[in-house]
Amino acid sequence: MQPGEQRDEVEMLSLMLLIRRFEERASQQYQAQKIGGFCHLYIGQEAVVTGAVAAVRDDDYIITAYRDHAHALARGTSADACMAELFGKETGCSRGLGGSMHFFDRKNHMYGGHAIVAAHVPLAVGMAFAIKYRGEDRVTLCFFGDGAINQGAFHEALNLAALYRLPIVFICENNLFAMGTSVKRSTSLKQIVDRTEGYDIPGEIVDGMNFREVRDKIAEVVDSIRKEPHPAFLEARTYRYRGHSMSDPASYRTKEELEKYRLDDPITRLRAQLTREGKLTNEQFDRLDKQAKETVLVAVKFAEQSPQPPLEKLYDYTYADGAKP
Amino acid sequence: MREITYRQALNEALAEELERDPNVFLMGEEVAEYQGAYKVSQGLLQRFGPRRIIDTPISENGFAGLGVGAAMVGLRPIIEFMTFSFSLVAFDQVVNNAPNMFTMSGGQFNIPITFRGPNGPAHQLGATHSHATENFYASVPGLKVCTPATPRDAKGLLKTAVRDDNPVLVLEAELLYSSKGMVEPPDEELLIPLGKADVKREGSDVSVICYAQTVPLALKVAAQLEEEDISAEIVDLRSIKPLDEKAIFDSVTKTHRVVIVEQDHPFCGVGAEVCYRIQKNIFDALDAPIIRVSQEDVPMPYNERLEHAVLPNAEKLIAAVKQVCYA
Ligand SMILES: Cc1ncc(C[n+]2csc(CCOP(=O)(O)OP(=O)(O)O)c2C)c(N)n1
Ligand SMILES: [Mg+2]
């Protein structure tokens, strides 16, 4: 298969729609207090994770930070299991124990959902180590934000990956802000991607609002890694439309800036590309969107009707053997 | 006296210490332009400028270490952790550098640093974001740990911490930031010594020893118990280390019964130390075995009902009090 041909693009567009509609519904359910704790929405960034999964196999490993709903959905975790997790129900992808920031799905090779900034980057390197150790041809995709690149864990992980030549793609989802801190105020370099030079890891910038560009670049990099394991780094330039979390009014940025990115919306873009090429009609698009909305409504119902994790099981998941010390 | 919030009290303490001593500065994530993740540093950037109120990247190990280094050469840093769950990224600096320096250098370098921020479980933040760190840190020689529960204590303890010549951790509580209480007017200097507990409510039947978020819980329960003719004395430790043994012993000698309600985990928790000291020193004063109410010994689940079951709560505390009172 040629890079860029792995997955049907219309299917990937409907995945983006599912993610978008899921997040909108999650936001509404959060306001209705059906969801607790912190909740970080991915709206605006959809092209990054969909582009990435379109370029890899289902058995490749994926791991990300706490803005993770989309990564689970993209991996094939059902909207039901994702919404149920937000509701803290036993049918959730982490049994209602993890919550929004800690989505896990072993079956679909989604390894979390990690809420300590950059703490999962070394884990990703460990997963890549295991791939090489076993002589497999999988790759690990490690997603993280622009805020993660100033943690020691990030730097140590990059050096280890380069030193041991591990099969991993570091994907920095640069949405320009870490909470209220812009990249300009957090990072000594002009470009995040330049960080990789110091570790001798090849790095490139991709337009994170453009599905095709993300997919093609990752496909190319992954192709090279499968032939001969090595780390690679991509800085995907993207934007989150909402505040950092549900409680952040995002007053550190201007309406104009937000509008500029909204005009470059990843869903609108892919839709336009496909329509122009005669691969998608307006009716089809509307149908896909309607389907996505319905799937999410069904998920809300599923989450509502699902049982709470039983109190008797409180100690079942502390140690692997279920032992109570 | 006037009524202010816990958040405002901390803000006043920071402002007064920054005003008093030019060597004091505040550094942490989102403390300046964003005005603090929990708005504790509101207005400080505008008042003291970017030289003294400093935003950092997400680099806890780096800026905690920066603080220790700056303290070695004479500054008095206040390092804010957005929450103490993130202080674990800086564990090496807080545990290995800050408290060891004075000993290792044969008394040449003391480290006058304050580490502060919210500590302990808030609401449904899950396992990574709910750490109660007081027992880890209190177990380290060279660190001091305080846990204010009221606006007045928050202000007085933070100011004292900044003036202390040693590393002091001020463990605040997210769920208390908006709570209100009476505090001396700003023109009256308010310093509360470390290592001094405070009886928040007098009682005669049982001593409930608590700190931080468990203080309002204990006070609520005490009011309920009063209706059942059980008179609970509420002893707020305020500092975990140094620990005010005398206040504890005085109360227990009066009531002869003890429940310790703590927000950390049971294994090697704060209550274990308190319990040990009571039985060792005033064993004969006890009329019943001491009971501890703490978190369950599990990582914090996200689900609300399970979280409630893990945390110390009113039902558990009432049951414990009744058990020690044989009521
Ligand atoms: C070690 C640590 N420090 C601080 C935080 C609080 N925090 C959560 S997200 C965040 C900003 C991260 O921004 P970025 O990496 O750019 O990801 P984005 O939110 O933009 O997806 C901060 C400071 C944390 N979770 N972990
Ligand atoms: Mg970001």
Side-chain angles (χ1 to χ4, degrees):
Chain A
M1 241 185 295
Q2 290 299 304
E5 282 184 3
Q6 283 94 334
R7 307 256 168 125
D8 181 61
E9 290 184 327
V10 175
E11 247 173 61
M12 297 315 287
L13 179 66
S14 62
L15 174 59
M16 281 208 251
L17 281 167
L18 175 67
I19 294 169
R20 174 77 53 98
R21 301 307 172 212
F22 181 93
E23 296 289 61
E24 288 168 351
R25 200 44 83 177
S27 160
Q28 185 215 33
Q29 294 296 308
Y30 190 91
Q31 254 124 26
Q33 298 185 342
K34 299 284 173 133
I35 299 170
F38 289 141
C39 182
H40 309 83
L41 302 179
Y42 195 67
I43 296 175
Q45 301 183 206
E46 294 91 343
V48 182
V49 78
T50 43
V53 297
V56 298
R57 296 194 317 235
D58 287 344
D59 66 341
D60 289 322
Y61 297 153
I62 282 188
I63 186 168
T64 188
Y66 48 84
R67 200 179 293 285
D68 59 353
H69 311 161
H71 299 73
L73 289 167
R75 255 298 132 156
T77 310
S78 70
D80 286 2
C82 291
M83 194 62 83
E85 188 57 36
L86 296 180
F87 277 55
K89 297 300 182 73
E90 207 195 4
T91 51
C93 57
S94 304
R95 288 200 161 90
L97 303 179
S100 166
M101 303 193 289
H102 309 114
F103 276 21
F104 289 83
D105 185 353
R106 179 192 273 275
K107 182 166 68 52
N108 287 303
H109 297 291
M110 157 62 178
Y111 294 92
H114 297 272
I116 297 300
V117 171
H120 67 293
V121 184
L123 306 186
V125 171
M127 289 156 49
F129 173 84
I131 292 170
K132 191 167 175 182
Y133 186 83
R134 296 199 185 106
E136 297 168 342
D137 71 342
R138 300 183 212 236
V139 296
T140 297
L141 302 186
C142 175
F143 297 85
F144 48 88
D146 46 280
I149 66 159
N150 302 306
Q151 283 287 42
F154 168 86
H155 289 268
E156 295 174 30
L158 257 66
N159 184 52
L160 289 167
L163 189 66
Y164 302 144
R165 295 201 63 75
L166 301 177
I168 182 167
V169 190
F170 297 102
I171 302 169
C172 178
E173 300 198 51
N174 178 6
N175 58 13
L176 310 185
F177 287 94
M179 271 189 184
T181 304
S182 69
V183 176
K184 274 194 245 76
R185 296 202 301 119
S186 71
T187 302
S188 58
L189 293 169
K190 279 214 182 63
Q191 301 202 116
I192 287 176
V193 70
D194 296 340
R195 276 271 189 273
T196 65
E197 270 175 37
Y199 299 103
D200 198 19
I201 293 176
E204 281 187 73
I205 295 170
V206 288
D207 178 357
M209 307 302 268
N210 186 338
F211 167 82
R212 287 179 173 173
E213 191 177 320
V214 174
R215 177 199 57 193
D216 293 348
K217 182 49 68 187
I218 293 183
E220 183 191 315
V221 165
V222 165
D223 196 43
S224 145
I225 293 176
R226 288 205 213 281
K227 287 192 190 111
E228 177 70 51
H230 66 84
F233 188 103
L234 292 178
E235 176 191 339
R237 299 231 168 126
T238 181
Y239 203 75
R240 64 166 154 76
Y241 297 174
R242 301 293 182 96
H244 167 73
S245 67
M246 295 301 295
S247 60
D248 169 30
S251 42
Y252 41 82
R253 60 187 195 190
T254 62
K255 271 211 181 73
E256 291 71 40
E257 182 178 294
L258 175 59
E259 276 320 304
K260 190 186 102 191
Y261 282 95
R262 269 185 199 278
L263 288 175
D264 200 19
D265 185 76
I267 295 178
T268 315
R269 245 213 213 178
L270 182 57
R271 176 190 180 177
Q273 284 163 337
L274 290 167
T275 309
R276 213 180 308 120
E277 293 159 8
K279 295 175 184 157
L280 182 78
T281 64
N282 285 341
E283 294 71 44
Q284 253 177 311
F285 178 84
D286 290 344
R287 205 162 51 238
L288 293 177
D289 196 23
K290 194 156 160 260
Q291 257 168 23
K293 287 179 181 160
E294 273 164 19
T295 305
V296 173
L297 275 179
V298 169
V300 169
K301 196 160 214 175
F302 173 82
E304 258 166 2
Q305 290 170 352
S306 290
Q308 303 262 359
L311 287 173
E312 314 82 74
K313 286 196 183 172
L314 184 57
Y315 274 86
D316 285 11
Y317 302 108
T318 300
Y319 293 99
D321 54 4
K324 189 171 170 177
Chain B
M1 302 277 264
R2 74 245 135 92
E3 193 175 58
I4 58 172
T5 64
Y6 186 98
R7 172 186 288 112
Q8 211 176 330
L10 291 164
N11 182 273
E12 281 183 8
L14 292 171
E16 288 175 19
E17 293 311 296
L18 283 155
E19 190 67 61
R20 186 187 55 80
D21 184 347
N23 286 323
V24 173
F25 66 91
L26 173 68
M27 177 177 269
E29 291 158 16
E30 309 289 359
V31 298
E33 291 197 13
Y34 198 76
Q35 310 287 308
Y38 297 100
K39 304 289 174 247
V40 170
S41 53
Q42 184 107 43
L44 297 182
L45 172 67
Q46 286 67 19
R47 182 158 162 205
F48 296 99
R51 180 171 158 269
R52 302 184 65 200
I53 311 296
I54 304 144
D55 277 328
T56 65
I58 307 169
S59 307
E60 287 85 359
N61 193 30
F63 65 74
L66 181 158
V68 176
M72 288 178 77
V73 291
L75 298 186
R76 302 185 80 89
I78 304 173
I79 299 295
E80 173 173 316
F81 291 119
M82 192 178 279
T83 83
F84 266 87
S85 287
F86 312 148
S87 77
L88 303 182
V89 175
F91 207 63
D92 185 48
Q93 296 298 343
V94 181
V95 170
N96 222 346
N97 275 344
N100 284 345
M101 205 68 74
F102 191 60
T103 305
M104 286 190 307
S105 65
Q108 294 181 77
F109 293 102
N110 64 307
I111 307 295
I113 193 169
T114 305
F115 294 109
R116 51 156 292 272
N119 170 62
H123 189 57
Q124 280 201 276
L125 300 185
T128 56
H129 277 52
S130 301
H131 288 285
T133 61
E134 58 271 23
N135 58 331
F136 322 159
Y137 288 126
S139 74
V140 178
L143 293 180
K144 298 184 182 181
V145 178
C146 64
T147 52
T150 65
R152 184 173 185 275
D153 292 343
K155 181 170 179 185
L157 286 168
L158 176 52
K159 282 169 63 81
T160 303
V162 175
R163 297 181 193 194
D164 199 287
D165 284 333
N166 301 287
V168 181
L169 280 65
V170 181
L171 306 182
E172 303 159 7
E174 183 189 333
L175 298 182
L176 296 177
Y177 279 142
S178 297
S179 65
K180 290 184 175 164
M182 301 304 282
V183 181
E184 282 80 345
D187 54 4
E188 245 172 76
E189 187 81 287
L190 173 62
L191 292 166
I192 293 174
L194 295 163
K196 276 269 172 271
D198 185 39
V199 175
K200 287 281 188 301
R201 182 187 212 271
E202 304 229 352
S204 52
D205 296 332
V206 55
S207 300
V208 176
I209 297 171
C210 51
Y211 60 89
Q213 301 187 69
T214 64
V215 176
L217 171 67
L219 287 168
K220 193 179 83 182
V221 162
Q224 263 171 272
L225 288 168
E226 191 169 25
E227 287 166 22
E228 301 184 40
D229 279 337
I230 298 175
S231 162
E233 175 146 301
I234 306 303
V235 182
D236 174 3
L237 293 177
R238 297 201 290 197
S239 298
I240 305 297
K241 193 180 204 176
L243 185 67
D244 189 352
E245 281 190 342
K246 183 173 179 304
I248 296 169
F249 298 164
D250 285 351
S251 178
V252 176
T253 309
K254 185 169 77 172
T255 64
H256 310 293
R257 295 163 201 276
V258 188
V259 173
I260 303 163
V261 54
E262 58 198 281
Q263 58 170 16
D264 60 1
H265 289 113
F267 201 94
C268 301
V270 168
E273 179 68 24
V274 174
C275 189
Y276 166 75
R277 294 196 190 195
I278 294 171
Q279 63 79 36
K280 175 167 179 282
N281 293 287
I282 51 167
F283 184 76
D284 290 340
L286 289 173
D287 281 351
I290 299 169
I291 295 188
R292 291 170 59 205
V293 177
S294 67
Q295 287 192 46
E296 293 293 320
D297 201 4
V298 297
M300 186 63 83
Y302 161 71
N303 173 274
E304 192 172 24
R305 199 173 61 147
L306 290 186
E307 182 179 59
H308 182 76
V310 168
L311 290 173
N313 58 40
E315 302 96 88
K316 293 183 196 175
L317 182 52
I318 290 172
V321 168
K322 289 188 174 169
Q323 199 178 329
V324 298
C325 291
Y326 305 120

